[in-house]
PDB file of all heavy atoms in Angstrom:
ATOM      1  N   GLY R  66      63.910  32.294  -7.242  1.00  0.00           N
ATOM      2  CA  GLY R  66      62.645  32.775  -7.790  1.00  0.00           C
ATOM      3  C   GLY R  66      61.608  33.137  -6.745  1.00  0.00           C
ATOM      4  O   GLY R  66      61.929  33.354  -5.570  1.00  0.00           O
ATOM      5  N   ARG R  67      60.396  33.202  -7.173  1.00  0.00           N
ATOM      6  CA  ARG R  67      59.311  33.608  -6.294  1.00  0.00           C
ATOM      7  C   ARG R  67      59.176  32.685  -5.096  1.00  0.00           C
ATOM      8  O   ARG R  67      59.007  33.131  -3.953  1.00  0.00           O
ATOM      9  CB  ARG R  67      57.996  33.644  -7.081  1.00  0.00           C
ATOM     10  CG  ARG R  67      56.868  34.269  -6.308  1.00  0.00           C
ATOM     11  CD  ARG R  67      55.529  34.249  -7.030  1.00  0.00           C
ATOM     12  NE  ARG R  67      54.475  34.361  -6.048  1.00  0.00           N
ATOM     13  CZ  ARG R  67      54.083  35.501  -5.512  1.00  0.00           C
ATOM     14  NH1 ARG R  67      54.607  36.629  -5.897  1.00  0.00           N
ATOM     15  NH2 ARG R  67      53.165  35.530  -4.570  1.00  0.00           N
ATOM     16  N   ALA R  68      59.262  31.377  -5.333  1.00  0.00           N
ATOM     17  CA  ALA R  68      59.159  30.418  -4.234  1.00  0.00           C
ATOM     18  C   ALA R  68      60.263  30.658  -3.207  1.00  0.00           C
ATOM     19  O   ALA R  68      60.054  30.495  -2.004  1.00  0.00           O
ATOM     20  CB  ALA R  68      59.232  28.993  -4.771  1.00  0.00           C
ATOM     21  N   GLY R  69      61.433  31.057  -3.685  1.00  0.00           N
ATOM     22  CA  GLY R  69      62.540  31.330  -2.787  1.00  0.00           C
ATOM     23  C   GLY R  69      62.276  32.535  -1.897  1.00  0.00           C
ATOM     24  O   GLY R  69      62.687  32.554  -0.737  1.00  0.00           O
ATOM     25  N   VAL R  70      61.594  33.526  -2.449  1.00  0.00           N
ATOM     26  CA  VAL R  70      61.252  34.697  -1.642  1.00  0.00           C
ATOM     27  C   VAL R  70      60.280  34.304  -0.539  1.00  0.00           C
ATOM     28  O   VAL R  70      60.386  34.763   0.602  1.00  0.00           O
ATOM     29  CB  VAL R  70      60.664  35.825  -2.513  1.00  0.00           C
ATOM     30  CG1 VAL R  70      60.187  36.978  -1.646  1.00  0.00           C
ATOM     31  CG2 VAL R  70      61.708  36.318  -3.513  1.00  0.00           C
ATOM     32  N   ILE R  71      59.345  33.409  -0.863  1.00  0.00           N
ATOM     33  CA  ILE R  71      58.414  32.940   0.165  1.00  0.00           C
ATOM     34  C   ILE R  71      59.177  32.203   1.254  1.00  0.00           C
ATOM     35  O   ILE R  71      58.880  32.338   2.443  1.00  0.00           O
ATOM     36  CB  ILE R  71      57.315  32.064  -0.465  1.00  0.00           C
ATOM     37  CG1 ILE R  71      56.467  32.942  -1.396  1.00  0.00           C
ATOM     38  CG2 ILE R  71      56.448  31.419   0.613  1.00  0.00           C
ATOM     39  CD1 ILE R  71      55.330  32.231  -2.073  1.00  0.00           C
ATOM     40  N   GLU R  72      60.202  31.455   0.881  1.00  0.00           N
ATOM     41  CA  GLU R  72      61.048  30.820   1.880  1.00  0.00           C
ATOM     42  C   GLU R  72      61.703  31.870   2.786  1.00  0.00           C
ATOM     43  O   GLU R  72      61.791  31.697   3.995  1.00  0.00           O
ATOM     44  CB  GLU R  72      62.139  29.976   1.208  1.00  0.00           C
ATOM     45  CG  GLU R  72      61.794  28.513   1.067  1.00  0.00           C
ATOM     46  CD  GLU R  72      61.191  27.942   2.340  1.00  0.00           C
ATOM     47  OE1 GLU R  72      61.884  27.875   3.357  1.00  0.00           O
ATOM     48  OE2 GLU R  72      60.002  27.560   2.314  1.00  0.00           O
ATOM     49  N   LEU R  73      62.132  32.974   2.180  1.00  0.00           N
ATOM     50  CA  LEU R  73      62.725  34.051   2.976  1.00  0.00           C
ATOM     51  C   LEU R  73      61.702  34.646   3.939  1.00  0.00           C
ATOM     52  O   LEU R  73      62.038  34.990   5.081  1.00  0.00           O
ATOM     53  CB  LEU R  73      63.261  35.162   2.064  1.00  0.00           C
ATOM     54  CG  LEU R  73      64.551  34.875   1.319  1.00  0.00           C
ATOM     55  CD1 LEU R  73      65.040  36.120   0.605  1.00  0.00           C
ATOM     56  CD2 LEU R  73      65.623  34.380   2.286  1.00  0.00           C
ATOM     57  N   LEU R  74      60.469  34.777   3.483  1.00  0.00           N
ATOM     58  CA  LEU R  74      59.425  35.290   4.369  1.00  0.00           C
ATOM     59  C   LEU R  74      59.260  34.355   5.567  1.00  0.00           C
ATOM     60  O   LEU R  74      59.155  34.800   6.712  1.00  0.00           O
ATOM     61  CB  LEU R  74      58.095  35.406   3.613  1.00  0.00           C
ATOM     62  CG  LEU R  74      57.990  36.552   2.622  1.00  0.00           C
ATOM     63  CD1 LEU R  74      56.702  36.440   1.802  1.00  0.00           C
ATOM     64  CD2 LEU R  74      58.028  37.891   3.357  1.00  0.00           C
ATOM     65  N   ARG R  75      59.276  33.064   5.286  1.00  0.00           N
ATOM     66  CA  ARG R  75      59.162  32.083   6.372  1.00  0.00           C
ATOM     67  C   ARG R  75      60.311  32.243   7.360  1.00  0.00           C
ATOM     68  O   ARG R  75      60.115  32.196   8.571  1.00  0.00           O
ATOM     69  CB  ARG R  75      59.151  30.680   5.768  1.00  0.00           C
ATOM     70  CG  ARG R  75      59.002  29.573   6.789  1.00  0.00           C
ATOM     71  CD  ARG R  75      59.014  28.211   6.111  1.00  0.00           C
ATOM     72  NE  ARG R  75      57.986  28.126   5.098  1.00  0.00           N
ATOM     73  CZ  ARG R  75      56.702  27.935   5.364  1.00  0.00           C
ATOM     74  NH1 ARG R  75      56.290  27.799   6.618  1.00  0.00           N
ATOM     75  NH2 ARG R  75      55.814  27.884   4.400  1.00  0.00           N
ATOM     76  N   GLU R  76      61.516  32.470   6.842  1.00  0.00           N
ATOM     77  CA  GLU R  76      62.668  32.656   7.729  1.00  0.00           C
ATOM     78  C   GLU R  76      62.522  33.921   8.568  1.00  0.00           C
ATOM     79  O   GLU R  76      62.816  33.925   9.766  1.00  0.00           O
ATOM     80  CB  GLU R  76      63.965  32.741   6.910  1.00  0.00           C
ATOM     81  CG  GLU R  76      64.402  31.408   6.338  1.00  0.00           C
ATOM     82  CD  GLU R  76      65.652  31.540   5.457  1.00  0.00           C
ATOM     83  OE1 GLU R  76      66.483  32.448   5.699  1.00  0.00           O
ATOM     84  OE2 GLU R  76      65.785  30.744   4.508  1.00  0.00           O
ATOM     85  N   GLN R  77      62.090  34.993   7.921  1.00  0.00           N
ATOM     86  CA  GLN R  77      61.887  36.245   8.655  1.00  0.00           C
ATOM     87  C   GLN R  77      60.942  36.030   9.842  1.00  0.00           C
ATOM     88  O   GLN R  77      61.201  36.494  10.953  1.00  0.00           O
ATOM     89  CB  GLN R  77      61.275  37.311   7.728  1.00  0.00           C
ATOM     90  CG  GLN R  77      62.216  37.844   6.660  1.00  0.00           C
ATOM     91  CD  GLN R  77      63.214  38.844   7.209  1.00  0.00           C
ATOM     92  OE1 GLN R  77      62.855  39.666   8.049  1.00  0.00           O
ATOM     93  NE2 GLN R  77      64.453  38.757   6.779  1.00  0.00           N
ATOM     94  N   ILE R  78      59.846  35.329   9.559  1.00  0.00           N
ATOM     95  CA  ILE R  78      58.849  35.084  10.599  1.00  0.00           C
ATOM     96  C   ILE R  78      59.405  34.150  11.679  1.00  0.00           C
ATOM     97  O   ILE R  78      59.293  34.432  12.881  1.00  0.00           O
ATOM     98  CB  ILE R  78      57.577  34.476   9.966  1.00  0.00           C
ATOM     99  CG1 ILE R  78      56.898  35.495   9.036  1.00  0.00           C
ATOM    100  CG2 ILE R  78      56.612  33.997  11.033  1.00  0.00           C
ATOM    101  CD1 ILE R  78      56.294  36.674   9.755  1.00  0.00           C
ATOM    102  N   SER R  79      60.025  33.071  11.251  1.00  0.00           N
ATOM    103  CA  SER R  79      60.554  32.100  12.214  1.00  0.00           C
ATOM    104  C   SER R  79      61.556  32.751  13.156  1.00  0.00           C
ATOM    105  O   SER R  79      61.578  32.457  14.351  1.00  0.00           O
ATOM    106  CB  SER R  79      61.245  30.946  11.483  1.00  0.00           C
ATOM    107  OG  SER R  79      60.334  30.272  10.652  1.00  0.00           O
ATOM    108  N   ASP R  80      62.373  33.640  12.605  1.00  0.00           N
ATOM    109  CA  ASP R  80      63.408  34.266  13.413  1.00  0.00           C
ATOM    110  C   ASP R  80      62.841  35.185  14.481  1.00  0.00           C
ATOM    111  O   ASP R  80      63.551  35.573  15.409  1.00  0.00           O
ATOM    112  CB  ASP R  80      64.379  35.059  12.519  1.00  0.00           C
ATOM    113  CG  ASP R  80      65.287  34.137  11.734  1.00  0.00           C
ATOM    114  OD1 ASP R  80      65.241  32.916  11.992  1.00  0.00           O
ATOM    115  OD2 ASP R  80      66.030  34.618  10.867  1.00  0.00           O
ATOM    116  N   GLN R  81      61.585  35.565  14.315  1.00  0.00           N
ATOM    117  CA  GLN R  81      60.995  36.440  15.328  1.00  0.00           C
ATOM    118  C   GLN R  81      60.330  35.651  16.446  1.00  0.00           C
ATOM    119  O   GLN R  81      59.885  36.220  17.439  1.00  0.00           O
ATOM    120  CB  GLN R  81      59.968  37.391  14.676  1.00  0.00           C
ATOM    121  CG  GLN R  81      60.630  38.406  13.756  1.00  0.00           C
ATOM    122  CD  GLN R  81      59.615  39.339  13.127  1.00  0.00           C
ATOM    123  OE1 GLN R  81      58.578  39.639  13.704  1.00  0.00           O
ATOM    124  NE2 GLN R  81      59.913  39.807  11.921  1.00  0.00           N
ATOM    125  N   MET R  82      60.222  34.343  16.254  1.00  0.00           N
ATOM    126  CA  MET R  82      59.612  33.542  17.315  1.00  0.00           C
ATOM    127  C   MET R  82      60.597  33.371  18.455  1.00  0.00           C
ATOM    128  O   MET R  82      61.793  33.249  18.242  1.00  0.00           O
ATOM    129  CB  MET R  82      59.181  32.185  16.766  1.00  0.00           C
ATOM    130  CG  MET R  82      57.993  32.327  15.844  1.00  0.00           C
ATOM    131  SD  MET R  82      57.424  30.773  15.180  1.00  0.00           S
ATOM    132  CE  MET R  82      56.135  31.383  14.077  1.00  0.00           C
ATOM    133  N   ASP R  83      60.052  33.323  19.644  1.00  0.00           N
ATOM    134  CA  ASP R  83      60.916  33.305  20.824  1.00  0.00           C
ATOM    135  C   ASP R  83      60.824  31.954  21.519  1.00  0.00           C
ATOM    136  O   ASP R  83      59.842  31.663  22.203  1.00  0.00           O
ATOM    137  CB  ASP R  83      60.462  34.421  21.780  1.00  0.00           C
ATOM    138  CG  ASP R  83      61.339  34.461  23.010  1.00  0.00           C
ATOM    139  OD1 ASP R  83      62.405  33.807  23.006  1.00  0.00           O
ATOM    140  OD2 ASP R  83      60.954  35.146  23.976  1.00  0.00           O
ATOM    141  N   PRO R  84      61.833  31.114  21.360  1.00  0.00           N
ATOM    142  CA  PRO R  84      61.786  29.789  21.990  1.00  0.00           C
ATOM    143  C   PRO R  84      62.298  29.786  23.430  1.00  0.00           C
ATOM    144  O   PRO R  84      62.225  28.760  24.101  1.00  0.00           O
ATOM    145  CB  PRO R  84      62.716  28.960  21.097  1.00  0.00           C
ATOM    146  CG  PRO R  84      63.665  29.952  20.503  1.00  0.00           C
ATOM    147  CD  PRO R  84      63.038  31.316  20.562  1.00  0.00           C
TER     148      PRO R  84
END
Side-chain angles (χ1 to χ4, degrees):
Chain R
R67 189 183 157 81
V70 174
I71 294 181
E72 265 315 295
L73 285 187
L74 286 172
R75 181 181 304 283
E76 287 177 29
Q77 289 283 320
I78 294 292
S79 299
D80 287 353
Q81 292 180 30
M82 289 181 184
D83 181 12

